[in-house]
Amino acid sequence: MKILLSWLNSFADFADPADEAAVASIAADLTSLGLAVEEVIPMGLGVDGVVSARVLRVETHPDAAKVRRVWVDAGDGAERHVWCGASNMAAGDLVPLATLGTSMPDGRLIERRGILGIDSEGMLCSGAELGVDDDGSGILLLDPTADPGQPYTAVLGVEPDVLFDIDVTRNRPDCWSHLGVARDLAAKRGHELRPPSSPFARGGEERSVPVEILAGERCGRFTTTVLSGVRVTQSPAWIRRRLAAAGMRPINNVVDVSNLVMLELGQPNHAYDLERLGKGALRVRLAAEGERLMTLDGVERTLQSSDLLICDGDDRPVGLGGVMGGLDSEISEETTTVALEMAWFASRGVMETAARHSLRSEASARYERGVDPYVIDRAIDRFCDLLAESCPDLVAHPGGADVRSEHLPEVHRSTPLRLSVLDRVLGVVLGPARVTEMLAPIGFDVVGDGPEVTVSLPSWRPDSTEEIDVVEEVARLHGYEHLGRTVPRADVFGHLTPAQQRRRATREVLVGLGISEAMPSPFLAPGDLARAGLEGDYLSITNPLAVEESALRTSLRPGLLAALAYNESHRRDRVSLFEIGHVYPPAEAELPDEAEVLGVVLAGREAPAAVAVWDELCAALGVGAQLDQSSPGAGMHPTRSATLRAGRDELGVVGEIHPEVLAEFGVSERVAVLEVRLDVLLARGERVPLAAPVPRTPSSDLDLAFVLDDSVPAERLTKALRQAAANRLVSLELFDVFRGESLGPGRRSLAYRLRLQDPSGSLTEADISSIRDACASGADRVGAVLRAQ
């Protein structure tokens, strides 16, 4: 919200905009009140080196059709020549001249430059170039009666000002107006507030625009006032400057006054051309499904039955209630009689309509937060008073309509306030007199002087409804910085839970293995799971942001495979990725089930690489599982994959992705994969490592190769070797897998390296031979035959 200091000064004598210390104090007080000042912007300082100059004559050049030659007098009697691309000035006009050496707001330095060998001694400026307005179509024309040579700001009557850019929270709808900010600031600083309150005299015959409210739950109050003698023209300069400083483009005097009243008092309003209203009446109703309205921004909108319409007497839509007016009834240069609408609309309906049509306006922003339904009378008088400055024949006719429904908020609201609660919450003791002194200036009148008082709640504060809201107001005005600070003692300090520590350790292990973390979307296209070989039911989103992302994933593999495919399309191969995320298996419960899963994909690698990652995780987390190759899992390679099992629990899968799945995703490399239920692993108790003395004896490596059928899982052979080597085994590594005609069909050779060590003494040849025989015997029991060395 942009707030002008000069505007605030019209309500109370706050500070001189030229006094930097006073401006800083205002900013500090606003922030203390909860109206955080994000930026303080000096205004009206002008551009040094830009002066007013009289146009002496204007000529065209036969060889320069797009520019004109202008001779000006900058008040010193010297004739200066300037090239200019605009054509809206003539001899006798007074224009702003940027003299040589002037630094413009956009960074340009005005230097002597020539066209066709003829120098330009400066630059004539538009309002946009000087920051006066946003009109860059022509040169800014100044008051021709002023003397040349003065700073252009003096001719315009521009004085120094300050703009506060304030962050107004949603619970302060009253501060979406200069009056609301001034009210708080005056109470904080002990100033008397001077709101505009003089009523505008009604005159002429009684004229009315009848109003019918057919949707009272959406519109609690609707008023109309007939204004005749209107002449649509340019607004006074001070109004244009004030609107431009607040970030609004001046249009004409009627529209500008409408916007000014909204910014000043927080009351949105709309002016209709009365001659263009059918039957000279208005109706407030809900739209019919599919009904259409062309709004002021030139967009034809298809409405729904929950949209609120303002219609004329012919039931023709002329506005979208609380959001934007219609194009057909807008003010034009021919308008002479205006029907002024000021209304109160329910905030929720306006918010839903604005969001549904992506049509946020200044009016809807205020109605969404809550508008004071009883500021309308003051706003009507202020509108008339301001419009009369540019329309001296303006007449505000008596007899205007003021229709209310039973849904209009009550004007008299109150809540009890226990001073004991106030003292306990704030930690300070404040008596009834002090509470009254702070609350009365912001409209919270206090009745009573005992331990419990009654506080009336003003109509402009719909956010305040109960006792704690009043306590907050007292805290704001007393100053949060003046409240005592008490830091509660805690017996337990913040720390990571065991599950969080182990999850962090999991990430550290994977990153240490050179695997990058990925974060694919949890939403998939309906066919992505089937492409990954994961047939079956899944949960669908009823209102997805995109149709191609309407399925909740049941596995991390589709997203990781898509990431590999993307990298491969950009010529990045052998990419390793992992993700820790949630999957959503279908369930019969009202809410979907969620499971935390770890997924790892290793492009250009085979199944043993995934098993190696699993072994590293097992060592780091103190967990383990059996590899069951009898059921490799959906979407997995049938002979190079296994299911991870812990007892009867299925933890996940490890191995390689099926080639058909890789083809579906456009991945040409083999892909090793590990997908495991991380939440189950983190919940399992960690095996406590046992300390063992460092052996002083040397170790020996024993390489053995076994031939066994493809139907026999390698895990069974590995287990048999571990049992055979017993406590002399330090480590066991599968380092080679071989298939060939010499082994016969359906058979493979697995080569293991056993590292052996005896803590009690060095291993002899006889010891190693004994272990070799035990391993051969154990392998024979699982159908494996030791190959000849």
Side-chain angles (χ1 to χ4, degrees), residues 365-655:
R366 286 162 174 79
Y367 279 123
E368 286 178 19
R369 289 158 175 80
V371 170
D372 179 8
Y374 299 100
V375 77
I376 289 178
D377 297 326
R378 173 180 286 172
I380 294 172
D381 289 333
R382 183 61 170 158
F383 186 101
C384 297
D385 189 48
L386 292 171
L387 188 59
E389 290 193 28
S390 56
C391 299
D393 299 327
L394 182 72
V395 175
H397 293 268
D402 187 352
V403 181
R404 309 185 185 196
S405 77
E406 66 275 13
H407 298 278
L408 182 69
E410 297 180 2
V411 64
H412 298 296
R413 299 178 301 132
S414 64
T415 184
L417 173 64
R418 294 163 292 173
L419 298 184
S420 60
V421 172
L422 180 69
D423 298 344
R424 176 176 56 81
V425 172
L426 301 186
V428 295
V429 178
L430 299 171
R434 175 60 178 153
V435 172
T436 301
E437 179 186 354
M438 286 188 289
L439 292 178
I442 62 171
F444 289 73
D445 295 327
V446 180
V447 178
D449 57 1
E452 180 174 320
V453 297
T454 300
V455 181
S456 62
L457 306 175
S459 58
W460 57 81
R461 292 297 302 274
D463 58 299
S464 295
T465 58
E466 53 190 38
E467 182 182 50
I468 194 62
D469 298 323
V470 179
V471 172
E472 182 182 357
E473 294 306 304
V474 174
R476 285 193 317 107
L477 294 167
H478 182 68
Y480 291 112
E481 66 276 11
H482 297 141
L483 300 179
R485 296 191 179 115
T486 302
V487 180
R489 296 180 61 86
D491 297 329
V492 178
F493 297 95
H495 63 279
L496 296 177
T497 65
Q500 290 172 325
Q501 293 174 355
R502 303 181 76 191
R503 185 183 294 109
R504 180 172 294 184
T506 300
R507 278 192 168 92
E508 291 175 352
V509 168
L510 295 171
V511 171
L513 292 172
I515 307 174
S516 302
E517 184 168 9
M519 299 181 69
S521 171
F523 308 122
L524 305 175
D528 284 351
L529 289 169
R531 291 168 58 209
L534 302 170
E535 301 285 354
D537 296 335
Y538 58 86
L539 296 174
S540 296
I541 304 173
T542 57
N543 56 341
L545 295 176
V547 176
E548 60 272 14
E549 294 182 347
S550 61
L552 281 174
R553 63 186 179 186
T554 59
S555 169
L556 303 184
R557 276 178 270 164
L560 290 171
L561 288 173
L564 291 182
Y566 178 84
N567 278 276
E568 184 174 324
S569 69
H570 288 70
R571 306 183 71 176
R572 293 183 60 87
D573 55 2
R574 295 184 64 83
V575 172
S576 300
L577 301 174
F578 79 90
E579 180 189 3
I580 296 177
H582 287 83
V583 299
Y584 307 88
E588 305 233 346
E590 182 178 356
L591 294 176
D593 190 14
E594 291 188 40
E596 187 178 25
V597 174
L598 165 66
V600 180
V601 288
L602 310 172
R605 258 65 62 87
E606 300 180 5
V611 176
V613 172
W614 169 244
D615 290 341
E616 291 290 342
L617 290 173
C618 290
L621 299 178
V623 296
Q626 295 178 342
L627 275 67
D628 180 5
Q629 287 186 265
S630 63
S631 55
M636 301 292 290
H637 195 290
T639 62
R640 300 175 185 167
S641 303
T643 298
L644 295 172
R645 298 185 186 277
R648 296 183 178 181
D649 296 332
E650 182 177 318
L651 298 182
V653 292
V654 64

